[in-house]
Amino acid sequence: MKQIDINSKEYWNMRFRNNWEMYQGRQQTAFFCNIMLECLPEWLTVDIKYNRLSICDAGCADGDAVHMLSKFFVHSKVVGVDFSNEAIERARKYYPDNIFYCASIEDVKEDYDVIFSSNTLEHFTEPFKMVNHLLKRTKKHLILLLPFQEYQRIDEHFFTFDYSNFPLKINDFVLTHYTEVDGAKIPGTLWAKKQILIVYSNLEEVKLENIDLRTFATSVKILEKELKEKEKQVSDLTITLEKKEQELNSLISDLAEKEGKLGDLVAVLEERERGMADLENELEKKGNILNELMTELEKKRETLNSLQIDLEKAKSNLFQLNASMSEKDQRIWDLSESLRIIQSSFSWKFIVKLHKLYKIPLVKYSYLLFKVWKIEGFKSVCEKARNKIIRSAKKVGVKEENSREKLNKLYISILERHENSKISGIAIIPSGFQFDELYNQRTINLAKFFSQRNYIVFYIPWQWYPDEFIPQAYEEVYRNIYQIPMYDFLNHIEKISAFSVFKEKIFFPIIPDNQFYNTFSVFRNNGFLIMYDILDDWEEFNKVGQAPWYKKEVEEAVVLNSDKIIAVSSPLAKKFIHLRNDISVIGNGFNAETLGTKEISLKVPADDNCIHIGYFGHLTTAWFDWDLIFNLADNHNNIVVHIIGYGAPDDILNEVKSRKNIIFYGKVSPSELHRHVERWHIGIIPFRGSKLAKAVDPIKIYEYLYFGLPTVATGIEHISSYPYVAYCEDSSSFYHKIVSFYTKIIENKISYAQIQSFLDKCSWDERFNCLLDECRGLNIAHLLYNHEESEK
């Protein structure tokens, strides 16, 4: 076998591919990033945040620190660089919203205000050559986090850093801060040795008179803190000693008193000794009786053990009986669906008679037909991938045990609240997003809607693999909303039976994946209403590589077996009309509290006399029509296009930068959108004309109208019925619609009252109240069981 040099590119590609996560590499990256953020001096933190300094993480590995830095410094551009292409591919997969590129430290192409390197330079025999390369690309500050005084190095570390290694000045950069950290003292540490944080700053970019000695006094502060703690301990010990001395004096006084009484006690003792013989005889008799009782008790224990064994057997039989009942309940559901379809074509009386004549063959044939639908078309490669995931999941027994304990504690606390009548019901809501209360996404707002009506909500964020980290797992992320990792929830789905006592129970299989479909019988057996909310055309998403888990036959099974179907648009409802004719359309909505002030769009000519149009949202080429935008910008200099979002490839962004009348802002927090929209006249939705685009009901259209933006759209014809929304077929009409709306805005001919009247029916509360009305009184599973009981 070829010998691979330690710390070579080939070596690190192998490490990231084979055992980086096994040895907690990602957790260490986050651990070191937390150390840096906690030890960073206040003046430097303020400088980065206030001046929105760009940041490069040199040696970013899987990108976990890049993600953390972008969350901490929300207004800064944060880029990850690593010479391992394997690491960069993984980083882009884990964090598609962040920017990463593959390059060695010597080949970093761009200049950055701040370069951060965590536990990287120790892998070089001459690390300060790398420092010089980094300084060439650093505008203001170089931040280094390194192992410190590591005299017994691991094999991958080629250099030991000590005080003598760090000069006060390197080229035009001076040492402006250092902090020592003892990792052994950090709870749950992932590095039980010392680390040192070093900051070099450009003399031309910082004012040294604004930096005082406190930035170098970290070690002294630590010693002072420890000394104060020791002094307090000595003081406490002195007070305790004084109390003990007082207690001792009191004891000596008591002892003197008790010595006087000792003579009397001795006399009493002698008298009692004379009665000991009689007591011993009595005790012997009692002992014999006790032995007889112990013998009897042992017999009772044997009987009890026998009863316990019988009880365990009974429990096992009961479990098998429940499993059998679950299978029968599922069969009842399948049969009832077959009957419902047949009933749509023939009279019930005729079916009853026919069923009596051909009872077994007819039902069995229908059932087998549905079984064929469920297994047809499965790709072998997907099955192999799923099997691999299942095998890997079995290796985390300890994690499963911990998740079981956490679920038990959470479920017990919720049941206690239910006993105290503090909750109305329970809703189970899977989602493709982790919970963020400021994010205007349908599943998040659905969870908040039910939580505000005193429901307990289990919010189940999607996981691509069982060990994928979910922040705030098992925590109450919002009032009455608990975020539970998907695989933990599915692996212990049987525990949902604890909530069968709840009167109102709803399960929303938002993601029509086979893993969620397989839970239907469990939810139905425990009295849950199953309501499938169709958010997107998942089949079309799969065709453009956005939903690799999708299987058409699984979604059709979800549609057939759900108690109620909701779709966000009429095209989605029509797609499944061959399966169900009772699909209700309830569109998306908006949240005024998240968006802020309404009708803030620009209603007068801009200072540059141009028409300012804008878009915010996902920018993938799968549906965003970049050719339309480039054609518009190239042919009409009086148009300025503002674009907020993420997901655009690098070649597209380079094209954007080449045009002066297209301004790209990147990702912006929902609470900050109004700061940009107040400079726009018109909103745009330039989607390609595809099945994927036609099926959506874009949330942004309600947000545009809330901000007072008339909107021009392509690719989504059904939203043309909304007030001040124009639908276009080509680039020429797209420009003319923009000009037409702009003229109406300037001439004050936009009826914002008409827009408000439309929006009054489109808030999330209004949408979900309609959905809740669909839920009330609807539970097919209960109806089936009640019908069965009445037949008996």
Side-chain angles (χ1 to χ4, degrees), residues 281-295:
N281 293 332
E282 186 68 20
L283 182 61
E284 186 176 353
K285 293 178 183 179
K286 298 292 185 183
N288 293 333
I289 295 172
L290 180 60
N291 289 334
E292 293 175 1
L293 291 173
M294 290 294 291
T295 303

Side-chain angles (χ1 to χ4, degrees), residues 637-697:
N637 293 329
N638 64 327
I639 297 289
V640 177
V641 185
H642 302 261
I643 298 179
I644 294 172
Y646 59 96
D650 291 340
D651 59 330
I652 291 293
L653 294 180
N654 289 333
E655 288 248 11
V656 169
K657 292 177 183 178
S658 68
R659 291 167 170 83
K660 294 182 179 179
N661 58 338
I662 301 180
I663 306 173
F664 176 70
Y665 301 90
K667 199 170 183 180
V668 171
S669 170
S671 61
E672 295 295 316
L673 282 176
H674 67 279
R675 300 185 186 278
H676 298 272
V677 173
E678 65 186 4
R679 298 193 295 270
W680 301 355
H681 294 105
I682 296 166
I684 58 171
I685 306 179
F687 282 4
R688 298 183 182 278
S690 65
K691 291 183 179 179
L692 181 61
K694 290 179 180 178
V696 302
D697 184 45

Side-chain angles (χ1 to χ4, degrees), residues 12 15-16 18-33 59-65 68 90 94-95 118-119 156 190:
W12 280 106
R15 282 274 280 112
F16 284 115
N18 296 335
N19 59 14
W20 179 247
E21 293 192 23
M22 183 188 305
Y23 292 133
Q24 295 185 301
R26 294 187 66 189
Q27 291 89 333
Q28 271 199 338
T29 300
F31 173 76
F32 290 134
C33 186
C60 66
D62 281 355
D64 298 286
M68 292 172 66
R90 291 157 62 90
Y94 295 145
Y95 305 109
S118 172
N119 287 266
E156 290 178 351
L190 294 176

Side-chain angles (χ1 to χ4, degrees), residues 311-528:
L311 180 61
E312 288 299 322
K313 290 180 180 178
K315 286 181 179 179
S316 176
N317 292 336
L318 180 60
F319 178 79
Q320 293 175 4
L321 180 61
N322 286 336
S324 177
M325 287 298 294
S326 297
E327 293 177 2
K328 290 179 179 178
D329 289 341
Q330 181 60 40
R331 183 170 175 79
I332 288 172
W333 175 254
D334 292 336
L335 292 174
S336 68
E337 282 297 296
S338 300
L339 288 173
R340 188 187 62 76
I341 294 171
I342 295 169
Q343 283 175 330
S344 66
S345 301
F346 300 96
S347 69
W348 175 245
K349 291 182 179 180
F350 180 75
I351 290 298
V352 171
K353 293 178 181 179
L354 189 63
H355 185 259
K356 289 180 180 178
L357 293 173
Y358 303 99
K359 183 175 181 181
I360 298 175
L362 178 62
V363 176
K364 183 177 180 182
Y365 178 81
S366 300
Y367 177 72
L368 291 175
L369 178 61
F370 280 100
K371 293 291 285 184
V372 170
W373 284 358
K374 291 179 182 177
I375 64 173
E376 184 178 319
F378 280 87
K379 297 179 182 177
S380 61
V381 65
C382 293
E383 281 300 321
K384 291 178 182 178
R386 175 171 170 77
N387 291 337
K388 184 176 180 181
I389 292 172
I390 293 173
R391 287 197 299 272
S392 65
K394 291 179 180 178
K395 296 179 182 179
V396 289
V398 175
K399 179 180 180 296
E400 291 236 352
E401 183 176 350
N402 291 337
S403 64
R404 188 182 300 111
E405 292 175 0
K406 291 177 180 178
L407 278 175
N408 284 337
K409 291 180 181 178
L410 177 58
Y411 287 6
I412 289 171
S413 68
I414 291 171
L415 288 173
E416 289 174 352
R417 290 176 61 187
H418 178 259
E419 290 176 357
N420 296 327
S421 301
K422 294 182 178 179
I423 51 180
S424 303
I426 184 168
I428 312 296
I429 304 177
S431 177
F433 305 85
Q434 294 174 17
F435 189 87
D436 182 347
E437 69 173 285
L438 297 179
Y439 190 29
N440 190 26
Q441 201 276 336
R442 187 177 179 100
T443 51
I444 291 174
N445 283 288
L446 180 63
K448 290 163 67 176
F449 173 83
F450 276 102
S451 74
Q452 289 160 4
R453 279 145 188 82
N454 221 26
Y455 276 67
I456 290 297
V457 179
F458 288 167
Y459 188 88
I460 317 296
W462 175 266
Q463 289 178 288
W464 289 105
Y465 53 90
D467 288 337
E468 183 178 357
F469 174 70
I470 298 297
Q472 294 182 285
Y474 298 100
E475 294 181 16
E476 190 174 18
V477 294
Y478 188 86
R479 179 180 174 270
N480 291 337
I481 300 177
Y482 296 87
Q483 181 156 264
I484 302 177
M486 181 183 80
Y487 281 98
D488 288 357
F489 180 76
L490 293 176
N491 289 340
H492 306 293
I493 189 64
E494 75 283 351
K495 291 186 178 294
I496 206 68
S497 62
F499 304 108
S500 59
V501 297
F502 283 50
K503 183 178 179 181
E504 297 180 27
K505 304 177 287 292
I506 309 175
F507 170 48
F508 293 91
I510 301 293
I511 304 171
D513 174 59
N514 198 44
Q515 297 176 94
F516 286 108
Y517 174 67
N518 289 336
T519 66
F520 272 34
S521 61
V522 179
F523 281 108
R524 182 155 285 111
N525 292 342
N526 289 285
F528 277 76

Side-chain angles (χ1 to χ4, degrees), residues 92-325:
R92 288 170 176 166
K93 175 184 175 183
Y94 295 145
Y95 305 109
D97 296 341
N98 295 116
I99 301 172
F100 301 93
Y101 66 88
C102 185
S104 62
I105 286 177
E106 303 98 309
D107 296 329
V108 174
K109 303 300 182 184
E110 297 183 27
D111 293 341
Y112 299 91
D113 297 317
V114 178
I115 292 184
F116 167 55
S117 179
S118 172
N119 287 266
T120 299
L121 298 180
E122 67 272 13
H123 297 284
F124 296 91
T125 54
E126 296 180 284
F128 282 89
K129 285 186 177 180
M130 300 301 107
V131 171
N132 284 324
H133 284 298
L134 292 175
L135 289 174
K136 290 177 182 178
R137 292 301 181 190
T138 304
K139 295 180 182 179
K140 294 192 72 172
H141 308 287
L142 174 64
I143 303 173
L144 305 175
L145 185 65
L146 304 163
F148 191 55
Q149 295 179 337
E150 185 190 13
Y151 301 119
Q152 294 181 343
R153 299 193 299 259
I154 63 176
D155 292 341
E156 290 178 351
H157 291 185
F158 289 175
F159 193 86
T160 297
F161 294 94
D162 210 329
Y163 294 109
S164 59
N165 299 123
F166 300 102
L168 294 178
K169 185 174 183 294
I170 304 177
N171 300 333
D172 294 330
F173 286 76
V174 295
L175 181 69
T176 53
H177 177 78
Y178 89 92
T179 300
E180 294 177 38
V181 179
D182 188 352
K185 295 182 179 180
I186 299 175
T189 186
L190 294 176
W191 179 261
K193 301 178 184 179
K194 286 186 177 182
Q195 288 273 307
I196 188 167
L197 180 70
I198 296 290
V199 179
Y200 283 99
S201 300
N202 192 328
L203 274 170
E204 295 180 357
E205 298 291 339
V206 298
K207 295 182 179 180
L208 292 181
E209 58 267 23
N210 293 335
I211 303 175
D212 55 39
L213 194 58
R214 288 175 296 177
T215 196
F216 300 104
T218 305
S219 299
V220 175
K221 289 178 181 177
I222 293 171
L223 291 173
E224 287 177 347
K225 182 179 179 182
E226 291 178 352
L227 181 59
K228 287 180 180 179
E229 290 176 355
K230 295 295 184 184
E231 287 176 349
K232 186 177 184 304
Q233 291 174 3
V234 171
S235 175
D236 292 343
L237 287 173
T238 302
I239 293 170
T240 303
L241 182 59
E242 290 175 353
K243 290 181 179 178
K244 294 295 183 183
E245 286 179 352
Q246 292 175 359
E247 292 174 0
L248 181 59
N249 291 332
S250 177
L251 288 172
I252 291 172
S253 299
D254 290 343
L255 183 61
E257 268 183 56
K258 290 176 180 178
E259 281 179 352
K261 298 178 181 179
L262 184 59
D264 298 334
L265 291 173
V266 169
V268 174
L269 182 60
E270 289 175 351
E271 184 178 346
R272 289 183 177 178
E273 282 179 352
R274 288 190 291 271
M276 283 295 293
D278 297 335
L279 289 173
E280 286 177 356
N281 293 332
E282 186 68 20
L283 182 61
E284 186 176 353
K285 293 178 183 179
K286 298 292 185 183
N288 293 333
I289 295 172
L290 180 60
N291 289 334
E292 293 175 1
L293 291 173
M294 290 294 291
T295 303
E296 185 69 20
L297 179 61
E298 193 62 34
K299 291 179 181 179
K300 296 292 184 182
R301 284 179 176 171
E302 291 176 0
T303 303
L304 179 61
N305 289 336
S306 177
L307 290 173
Q308 286 178 336
I309 292 171
D310 292 341
L311 180 61
E312 288 299 322
K313 290 180 180 178
K315 286 181 179 179
S316 176
N317 292 336
L318 180 60
F319 178 79
Q320 293 175 4
L321 180 61
N322 286 336
S324 177
M325 287 298 294

